[in-house]
């Protein structure tokens, strides 16, 4: 295996063409796996990096929403998340990071903040460690990566966003707690918001509301478990007027990252409500809200960055049980060969697609 070559599309500079770089297959160390990538999708965070809206290491191989086939396993074998030994040709997804499962942060319950975290699609290329992202023909999985087999009933276009979009929302649902008899407001109706609508319903939410600045995106959430749409230009009073007959809002899941939207969501919560923020991953102004309002109304604010491996397990269960109910495959509107990655990014950034797919082979 070590004499064979992969192809990586290297991100070198903001808004500059990707560089096609041949890469020799790595010699695997204990706990490592080599994956032949079968499909990847361009996440919004990839666009933020490429177009300079967020800082990232260069040079690097972007892409973290990715699935692939096991083609080499380190001596001694590697087990998947469930504890079963991986086999050649297994179709898998994996956590967006590798971490020390016995480390201090993992023991505290925050594995995504472990010291020495290795994050796929974000690592700077150093020496021969090139195959660390999804926009390549192969990916080198490091020891400490949680690996999951993909159920046969899930198609590639459905499965690829699992280890980012759906796992992140699964983490938000975990933080929200029991959703039975509760109303949920999802702010932002992009890929994360669509997943949040569907997963909230799956988790037992009574009524699901979605809100976005784009009316067509709000309307699309009705295909994914949303019961009522709100438009971001509504005033707080107009929103309360629409929500009040249904009993108000108990949980807000903000995927927008907009300061104004997060403030508005907080102001609409019922007594004892929870606001979960997952979209604010870029620099913006500080928020303004009343501490007295938080205290007197017993409100909670919870932030989520990335997720725990158990959230990816929940996301896979969710998708395997709902993929026939909700048209997730339709959210990946186009795909391109790996060698046309520049064109794929241009289309993904300019046409407002939820996801654009990449086929390495």
């Amino acid at each position: 295996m070590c004499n064979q070559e992969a192809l990586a599309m290297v991100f070198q500079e903001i808004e500059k063409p990707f560089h096609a770089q041949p890469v020799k297959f790595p010699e695997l160390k204990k706990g490592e796996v080599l994956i032949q990538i079968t499909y990847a999708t361009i996440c919004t965070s990839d666009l933020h990096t490429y177009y300079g809206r967020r800082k990232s290491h260069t040079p690097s191989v972007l892409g973290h929403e990715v699935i692939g086939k096991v083609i080499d396993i380190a001596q001694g074998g590697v087990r998947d998340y469930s504890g079963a030994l991986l086999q050649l040709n297994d179709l898998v997804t994996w956590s967006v990071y590798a971490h020390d499962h016995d480390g201090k942060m993992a023991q505290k319950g925050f594995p995504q903040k472990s010291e020495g975290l290795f994050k796929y699609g974000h690592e700077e290329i150093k020496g021969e460690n090139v195959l660390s992202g999804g926009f390549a023909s192969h990916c080198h999985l490091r020891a400490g990566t949680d690996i999951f087999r993909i159920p046969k009933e899930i198609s590639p276009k459905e499965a690829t966003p699992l280890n980012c979009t759906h796992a992140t929302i699964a983490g938000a649902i975990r933080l929200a707690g029991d959703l039975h008899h509760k109303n949920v407001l999802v702010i932002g109706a992009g890929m994360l918001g669509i997943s949040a609508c569907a997963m909230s319903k799956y988790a037992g939410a009574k009524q699901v509301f979605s809100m976005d600045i784009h009316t067509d995106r709000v309307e699309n959430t009705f295909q994914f478990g949303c019961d009522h749409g709100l438009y971001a230009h509504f005033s707080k009073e107009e929103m309360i007027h629409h929500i009040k007959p249904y009993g108000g809002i108990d949980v807000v899941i903000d995927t927008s990252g907009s300061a104004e939207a997060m403030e508005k969501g907080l102001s609409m919560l019922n007594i004892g409500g929870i606001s979960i923020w997952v979209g604010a991953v870029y620099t913006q102004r500080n928020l303004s809200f009343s501490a007295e309002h938080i205290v007197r109304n017993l409100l909670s604010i919870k932030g989520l960055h990335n997720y725990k491996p158990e959230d990816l397990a929940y996301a896979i269960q969710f998708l395997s049980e709902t993929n026939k109910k909700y048209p997730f495959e339709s959210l990946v509107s186009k795909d391109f060969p790996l060698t046309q990655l520049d064109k794929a990014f241009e289309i993904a950034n300019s046409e407002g697609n939820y996801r654009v797919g990449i086929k390495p082979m």
Side-chain angles (χ1 to χ4, degrees):
M1 297 290 290
C2 62
N3 293 321
Q4 298 187 41
E5 277 192 338
L7 176 66
M9 301 298 288
V10 178
F11 169 61
Q12 297 179 306
E13 193 175 345
I14 292 170
E15 293 192 64
K16 297 297 183 182
F18 290 93
H19 170 65
Q21 179 175 329
V23 183
K24 286 186 178 181
F25 282 6
E27 293 186 14
L28 300 182
K29 300 175 184 177
K30 181 180 179 181
E32 295 184 343
V33 177
L34 184 63
I35 300 293
Q36 179 182 322
I37 295 172
T38 56
Y39 205 73
T41 46
I42 300 174
C43 179
T44 303
S45 64
D46 294 317
L47 296 175
H48 288 334
T49 297
Y50 181 78
Y51 289 99
R53 297 188 288 265
R54 63 182 285 179
K55 293 182 179 179
S56 186
H57 298 298
T58 56
S60 65
V61 178
L62 301 180
H64 51 273
E65 293 187 343
V66 55
I67 62 172
K69 182 173 63 173
V70 175
I71 63 166
D72 197 12
I73 303 170
Q75 187 173 0
V78 176
R79 296 185 182 274
D80 68 9
Y81 178 77
S82 71
L85 283 169
L86 286 171
Q87 305 295 325
L88 295 179
N89 297 315
D90 281 343
L91 183 64
V92 297
T93 186
W94 52 93
S95 56
V96 295
Y97 56 86
H99 74 288
D100 178 3
H101 287 64
D102 296 320
K104 181 172 65 175
M105 294 306 293
Q107 296 302 311
K108 284 185 174 182
F110 307 110
Q112 70 269 51
K113 296 299 176 183
S114 295
E115 185 176 352
L117 200 74
F118 185 95
K119 196 170 179 185
Y120 295 100
H122 297 79
E123 294 293 326
E124 182 180 358
I125 293 174
K126 295 180 180 178
E128 297 180 355
N129 294 322
V130 178
L131 301 175
S132 60
F135 301 140
S137 62
H138 296 75
C139 192
H140 177 194
L141 301 191
R142 274 58 173 183
T145 304
D146 290 280
I147 304 172
F148 300 76
R149 287 179 171 89
I150 296 173
K152 292 181 179 180
E153 63 269 20
I154 302 178
S155 74
K157 287 186 177 182
E158 293 167 335
T160 303
L162 267 168
N163 72 338
C164 178
T165 297
H166 299 307
T168 298
I169 295 303
I173 298 295
R174 169 174 52 81
L175 292 179
D178 186 3
L179 292 184
H180 288 86
H181 310 297
K182 292 182 180 179
N183 293 341
V184 177
L185 169 61
V186 176
I187 302 179
M191 193 77 173
L192 282 167
I194 284 174
S195 177
C197 289
M199 207 176 296
S200 294
K201 209 67 173 178
Y202 175 77
K206 183 179 178 182
Q207 299 285 330
V208 176
F209 298 77
S210 70
M211 183 177 83
D212 198 277
I213 59 174
H214 300 291
T215 57
D216 59 332
R217 290 207 161 192
V218 171
E219 290 166 4
N220 194 42
T221 62
F222 297 144
Q223 298 186 73
F224 295 89
C226 178
D227 300 296
H228 311 280
L230 300 171
Y231 303 110
H233 66 269
F234 284 177
S235 67
K236 173 187 169 182
E237 290 71 26
E238 288 175 309
M239 290 193 178
I240 291 174
H241 174 75
H242 282 82
I243 291 169
K244 189 175 181 180
Y246 303 99
I249 299 298
D250 303 296
V251 175
V252 169
I253 300 176
D254 179 82
T255 71
S256 73
S258 161
E260 292 80 2
M262 288 185 282
E263 289 167 350
K264 189 174 287 186
L266 266 178
S267 71
M268 291 192 293
L269 279 171
N270 289 336
I271 290 175
I274 301 173
S275 190
I276 299 165
W277 297 343
V278 302
V281 291
Y282 50 87
T283 303
Q284 60 181 307
R285 70 166 174 82
N286 290 337
L287 272 66
S288 177
F289 52 83
S290 165
E292 181 184 5
H293 177 75
I294 300 294
V295 170
R296 290 190 180 278
N297 289 279
L298 313 177
L299 304 184
S300 300
I301 301 171
K302 299 183 179 183
L304 178 71
H305 185 228
N306 296 326
Y307 56 83
K308 297 183 181 183
E310 68 196 61
D311 299 325
L312 180 50
Y314 182 88
I316 293 171
Q317 175 187 321
F318 155 75
L319 194 59
S320 67
E321 294 181 11
T322 63
N323 69 320
K324 298 297 186 291
K325 183 176 182 180
Y326 301 124
F328 284 109
E329 187 166 313
S330 69
L331 299 176
V332 185
S333 55
K334 301 178 182 179
D335 49 43
F336 293 83
L338 179 63
T339 52
Q340 294 182 22
L341 190 60
D342 295 312
K343 181 64 174 178
F345 263 69
E346 179 184 334
I347 296 298
N349 191 57
S350 64
E351 295 189 3
N353 299 285
Y354 292 101
R355 286 295 184 269
V356 167
I358 305 297
K359 287 183 174 181
M361 307 301 289

